[in-house]
Amino acid sequence: MKIEMTPEEHARLHRRRGRQALGLVIAVLVLIGTLTVLHAGVNAVAKLFDDTAQKQEYEDKLEGLVLFDPVPFEGIENIDDLTLREAAVWGCVYSIQETQGGFDGYNTDPDTEQLLIPSVDVDAYLAKLVGPSFRMTHKTFEMEDMTIEFDDTTQCYKIPVTGSVGSYRATVTRLFKKDGLLHVTVGYIPNQNATDSILTTTSDTPVKYMDYLFSRQSGSWYLTGLTESETKPESTAASTASEPAMMADSEVQDAILATGGETPAGSDAASSEAAAASEEADSTAESEAASDAEPQAESAASAAA
């Protein structure tokens, strides 16, 4: 049976389908918008907890110090003077190389061709590390295998042409706050020139960890101390875990008794007692034999008489 629709019914049907299509489009757009907002929220939260850029910032700041493996100290005024000078000059050199890609904008000594680093650049590097109020007197200083000359006329340090210096390079592994200080845990990775052996295999695994302590001053964090870190190298942790625990004397004795054994002293005592018992039995047997023989001898003598 064929059903015929009036023009008004056709119009209502088209309007209904149009509303349904529009509703579907709106629902899809709402879904897309919701997913977009959720994705943006997840990324925003991830950025809040992502401290990769911060770690890199502190690696750049501490590179000069880590190179020369300073001893722990409390208060920047108590840091070893030579270590501070080495860190300031070579940290500045490495910072320039990292940020500018080279030394094209710097002059060289016409006689020795040594690189000239202005003292103001060293001061700027130190200011980022220990604070703008700290002042270092610039002068020539002796390192283990070279001299870093300071030219009072040009107010520049003369940097010898060398492959690399220092024993370690830095990798920041953790940032956390404790007792009002920012702890920057730094892993020490040996440089290739830290050993004389050409057979040594280089690795990116830190051989030790130190915590550099930063205090907040005028809204920024500046270095104020250095201490040993609770983080330990993997090799040290593994050897500590695999080391067998020493047993107490009482535990050793209990273990021996549990296996049915005797201590060496007990064994010796038991052997001595057994030997004594054997000797006593032998002497008793000899006495009995002698007493039995006497009546027989007497009877023999009577018979002979």
Side-chain angles (χ1 to χ4, degrees), residues 24-298:
L24 179 61
V25 171
I26 293 174
V28 171
L29 292 177
V30 169
L31 179 60
I32 293 175
T34 302
L35 293 176
T36 302
V37 171
L38 288 175
H39 185 265
V42 170
N43 287 339
V45 173
K47 287 181 180 179
L48 288 176
F49 292 95
D50 185 10
D51 56 0
T52 303
Q54 227 180 345
K55 288 180 179 179
Q56 186 61 52
E57 176 188 351
Y58 282 100
E59 279 185 17
D60 296 338
K61 284 183 179 181
L62 296 170
E63 188 72 42
L65 274 174
V66 175
L67 281 170
F68 302 102
D69 191 16
V71 297
F73 61 89
E74 291 184 10
I76 194 63
E77 68 279 0
N78 296 320
I79 190 174
D80 178 70
D81 182 73
L82 176 59
T83 301
L84 181 63
R85 294 183 183 280
E86 292 173 332
V89 172
W90 287 103
C92 180
V93 170
Y94 277 76
S95 178
I96 293 171
Q97 190 172 12
E98 289 293 326
T99 57
Q100 302 181 25
F103 305 96
D104 295 339
Y106 291 82
N107 297 323
T108 57
D109 185 272
D111 299 326
T112 63
E113 296 186 353
Q114 292 177 327
L115 179 67
L116 300 179
I117 299 295
S119 59
V120 293
D121 286 10
V122 177
D123 288 334
Y125 173 81
L126 269 181
K128 294 180 180 179
L129 179 63
V130 299
S133 61
F134 185 85
R135 291 288 182 269
M136 185 180 74
T137 303
H138 298 287
K139 63 180 181 180
T140 298
F141 60 92
E142 298 284 340
M143 293 179 61
E144 184 177 353
D145 54 355
M146 69 180 73
T147 299
I148 305 299
E149 181 182 352
F150 181 71
D151 190 339
D152 290 319
T153 303
T154 61
Q155 289 292 297
C156 289
Y157 284 97
K158 297 181 179 180
I159 308 302
V161 179
T162 180
S164 60
V165 296
S167 302
Y168 300 96
R169 55 189 174 91
T171 177
V172 174
T173 61
R174 186 186 178 198
L175 302 172
F176 66 97
K177 294 178 182 178
K178 182 179 180 182
D179 299 331
L181 297 176
L182 174 64
H183 288 237
V184 180
T185 303
V186 179
Y188 283 55
I189 301 176
N191 281 332
Q192 188 171 4
N193 64 314
T195 176
D196 295 332
S197 175
I198 61 174
L199 300 178
T200 301
T201 303
T202 58
S203 171
D204 288 334
T205 302
V207 295
K208 71 173 184 175
Y209 293 87
M210 300 292 287
D211 277 5
Y212 286 80
L213 310 180
F214 288 76
S215 61
R216 195 171 183 84
Q217 304 171 26
S218 303
S220 299
W221 294 95
Y222 297 111
L223 181 66
T224 187
L226 173 65
T227 185
E228 293 185 2
S229 176
E230 295 179 355
T231 305
K232 302 301 178 184
E234 295 179 1
S235 57
T236 303
S239 61
T240 303
S242 61
E243 183 177 348
M246 296 296 293
M247 296 178 64
D249 293 341
S250 58
E251 293 177 341
V252 174
Q253 186 68 24
D254 292 342
I256 293 173
L257 294 175
T259 57
E262 297 180 350
T263 60
S267 298
D268 293 341
S271 299
S272 300
E273 292 177 358
S278 178
E279 291 178 359
E280 184 177 355
D282 292 342
S283 60
T284 302
E286 290 177 357
S287 299
E288 292 177 350
S291 59
D292 291 341
E294 287 179 358
Q296 294 177 359
E298 293 176 356

